[in-house]
Amino acid sequence: MPHVAVVGGGIAGLTAAHTLRELGADVTLFEASDRLGGKIHTERVGELLIDSGPDSFLSSKPAALQLVERLGLLDSVVDTLPDGGGTFILRDGRLLPLPEGLTLLVPADFTQIARSPLLSPIGKARMALDLLIPPRYDDADESISSFVRRRVGNQAFERMAEPLLSGIYAGDADALSLLSTFPRLRDIEREHRGVIRGAISQKRQARSRPTGNGPKRTPFVSLRGGLGELIDALAARLDPASVFLNAPVTRISRSSSGFEIEANGTTAAVDAILLAVPAPSASIALEQLDGEVAYALAGIAYVSSATVSLAFDARDVAGKQVGRGFVIPRAEGRTLTAVTWTSNKFGGRAPPGIALLRAFVGRAGNESPAFLPDDELIARACSELAVILDITAEPIVSRVYRWPNALPQYNLGHQERLARIDERIERLPGVALTGAAYRGIGIPDCIRDAQEQSERLFSRLTT
């Protein structure tokens, strides 16, 4: 039975530890903070249920739902509420509905665009030129901004794509790599000679695709008790005696039989190490083993963000809850980047008579709001909500959650950097990397990659 140290107790680290134990490994988990879960954390405040980080995951990527099923949590899965309303975009201070049927950052139903006030007649005409512009066939990478502007124009990028992308990555679309974030867009451009035809084709395929025996899920799903349920279920599968909190790993070195890992002043001998921590932390831990991989890891950029959850008496916001929420383009010059009406998104988040929302701050190029003092950040969020939604009431509950250097950026050159990292890790038998910094930032991506890296590491240890 190989002894594996898993460093990091977020969703990737917990999934890796659980997978390795299922395979038959002896696992010791080291987590630098005082709790497990990383950015996934659910807090109960009276009758309110608040997810401080992610509050849902994509149902179309199977890894998360499959893990939920194996953990016996399938009955706890909840879909988004059917009457929660749509998504809006702030444009010149007005909330305008995002065209329905958005696929691949482009509406599959062009009649929705024709009716939308988001684009001018010139912007709509430029978007339609996607049907005539020839595809790009070379293999060179480009930024997401370059791709969207090239295919459907500046207005479609600035008024629709950019705020949506900011909600996913909190990044700079001029720097984000297309091939590392949305590689399927390049494939669809080639296959369908444009993204509009590709979006229409995707919509048709989705309609004709068999739904299987399970229930048809909404695009985003959560758990009845918040995503913290997933963390609790994974933690319950581990031996408590093998989990060390407040134990940041400061050094990893080789030993005669494997590795020595130093955490919180103590040293442990293990056969292998799986690092499921942010890239800068992995860089520090691996510096003595391989300076080149440490250098490459240190080059992965991160963005800081924060969420502000506010609860109001429902009577004070009656008629002011616009859909499930809205996103805010950079051009609007706001502190807030997006707002979600949590109580309109999933059931059980707030009791009757209470409206719960969550505001987001911090993105590439403007991270400083995420570090404002709590009272100032809450005041600024309330001030902007008063302007945008005419909400002047004081919140009855407020919570701020900060995520410093939490969002990895897949900037141009990410694929080449990842190839260098993988090549150097191959030279370190018994070492593996997983987490949001490498092959996908979403919860299903992190779960899938953690499982794959764990299986690969265990196979190398036992063959």
Side-chain angles (χ1 to χ4, degrees):
M1 183 183 291
H3 184 192
V4 181
V6 173
V7 183
I11 185 61
L14 287 171
T15 299
H18 174 60
T19 303
L20 286 163
R21 278 179 59 88
E22 284 189 322
L23 291 169
D26 180 17
V27 176
T28 302
L29 187 145
F30 298 91
E31 164 57 37
S33 72
D34 59 0
R35 66 170 182 84
L36 297 174
K39 292 186 284 293
I40 298 178
H41 178 57
T42 303
E43 181 182 3
R44 284 196 174 274
V45 183
E47 294 184 80
L48 296 172
L49 190 70
I50 301 176
D51 277 306
S52 57
D55 67 351
S56 59
F57 56 85
L58 277 171
S59 62
S60 59
K61 294 186 175 183
L65 279 175
Q66 289 170 355
L67 177 61
V68 164
E69 184 174 13
R70 289 201 302 278
L71 293 171
L73 294 176
L74 204 55
D75 289 341
S76 187
V77 176
V78 293
D79 295 307
T80 49
L81 294 171
D83 54 354
T87 301
F88 291 73
I89 292 181
L90 191 66
R91 168 69 182 156
D92 293 333
R94 297 168 53 220
L95 288 175
L96 304 176
L98 186 68
E100 295 180 6
L102 197 70
T103 305
L104 306 172
L105 307 180
V106 179
D109 184 355
F110 205 75
T111 59
Q112 294 287 333
I113 283 291
R115 300 189 189 117
S116 175
L118 273 171
L119 303 182
S120 70
I122 292 176
K124 295 171 185 177
R126 171 61 184 87
M127 194 173 190
L129 285 178
D130 175 71
L131 298 168
L132 302 176
I133 295 172
R136 179 174 167 178
Y137 288 106
D138 64 78
D139 294 327
D141 199 359
E142 64 182 314
S143 70
I144 298 178
S145 168
S146 169
F147 178 86
V148 177
R149 292 178 192 273
R150 177 169 61 82
R151 294 304 321 174
V152 293
N154 292 334
Q155 274 195 25
F157 169 76
E158 293 169 0
R159 302 184 187 183
M160 292 195 306
E162 185 275 328
L164 292 174
L165 289 165
S166 181
I168 300 171
Y169 289 96
D172 178 359
D174 290 328
L176 287 171
S177 157
L178 177 74
L179 297 184
S180 297
T181 54
F182 293 94
R184 183 64 181 141
L185 282 174
R186 175 63 64 79
D187 294 336
I188 284 172
E189 178 189 21
R190 293 171 175 172
E191 293 170 14
H192 301 279
R193 293 175 291 115
V195 292
I196 292 178
R197 290 190 186 92
I200 294 170
S201 175
Q202 292 273 13
K203 185 177 180 181
R204 288 173 179 166
Q205 290 176 24
R207 286 175 176 171
S208 62
R209 190 178 299 125
T211 57
N213 298 325
K216 182 177 174 58
R217 295 292 182 189
T218 53
F220 288 92
V221 297
S222 188
L223 298 177
R224 187 170 290 109
L227 290 187
E229 271 195 72
L230 178 57
I231 301 303
D232 293 342
L234 284 167
R237 300 297 180 98
L238 303 179
D239 178 3
S242 70
V243 176
F244 295 88
L245 301 178
N246 298 305
V249 170
T250 54
R251 184 180 64 85
I252 296 172
S253 59
R254 294 186 187 276
S255 67
S256 57
S257 58
F259 300 90
E260 284 190 348
I261 185 166
E262 187 174 307
N264 202 25
T266 63
T267 302
V270 296
D271 299 307
I273 296 168
L274 189 147
L275 289 162
V277 293
S281 298
S283 172
I284 293 170
L286 292 175
E287 190 169 11
Q288 291 189 22
L289 286 182
D290 189 309
E292 288 191 36
V293 75
Y295 178 80
L297 287 165
I300 296 177
Y302 279 75
V303 166
S304 300
S305 66
T307 62
V308 182
S309 288
L310 304 171
F312 295 91
D313 187 313
R315 293 170 296 185
D316 292 333
V317 295
K320 300 174 184 180
Q321 298 183 53
V322 182
R324 287 199 177 94
F326 55 92
V327 292
I328 304 175
R330 290 176 184 270
E332 293 294 313
R334 297 289 181 183
T335 297
L336 303 183
T337 61
V339 172
T340 298
W341 286 102
T342 308
S343 48
N344 289 353
K345 190 174 180 181
F346 294 110
R349 269 43 183 177
I354 301 297
L356 178 65
L357 66 76
R358 186 163 69 151
F360 298 78
V361 302
R363 56 180 150 198
N366 187 26
E367 300 175 65
S368 57
F371 299 100
L372 291 171
D374 284 7
D375 56 350
E376 187 175 342
L377 186 52
I378 291 168
R380 190 173 295 193
C382 289
S383 174
E384 294 197 0
L385 290 171
V387 173
I388 298 169
L389 297 176
D390 193 30
I391 294 175
T392 56
E394 289 291 319
I396 55 179
V397 171
S398 58
R399 287 290 187 277
V400 173
Y401 305 94
R402 304 179 196 282
W403 303 109
N405 299 317
L407 298 166
Q409 301 296 291
Y410 294 2
N411 290 335
L412 288 166
H414 182 76
Q415 287 200 319
E416 293 79 6
R417 184 185 302 278
L418 189 58
R420 291 198 300 273
I421 291 170
D422 288 342
E423 188 269 332
R424 298 304 301 184
I425 289 295
E426 282 291 326
R427 302 186 185 190
L428 294 173
V431 176
L433 293 170
T434 191
Y438 311 113
R439 287 164 283 267
I441 66 169
I443 290 174
D445 296 315
C446 290
I447 290 171
R448 171 192 50 76
D449 191 64
Q451 291 169 339
E452 290 176 357
Q453 298 304 318
S454 299
E455 291 165 359
R456 185 165 176 267
L457 178 63
F458 186 81
S459 176
R460 293 177 70 174
L461 289 170
T462 55
T463 56

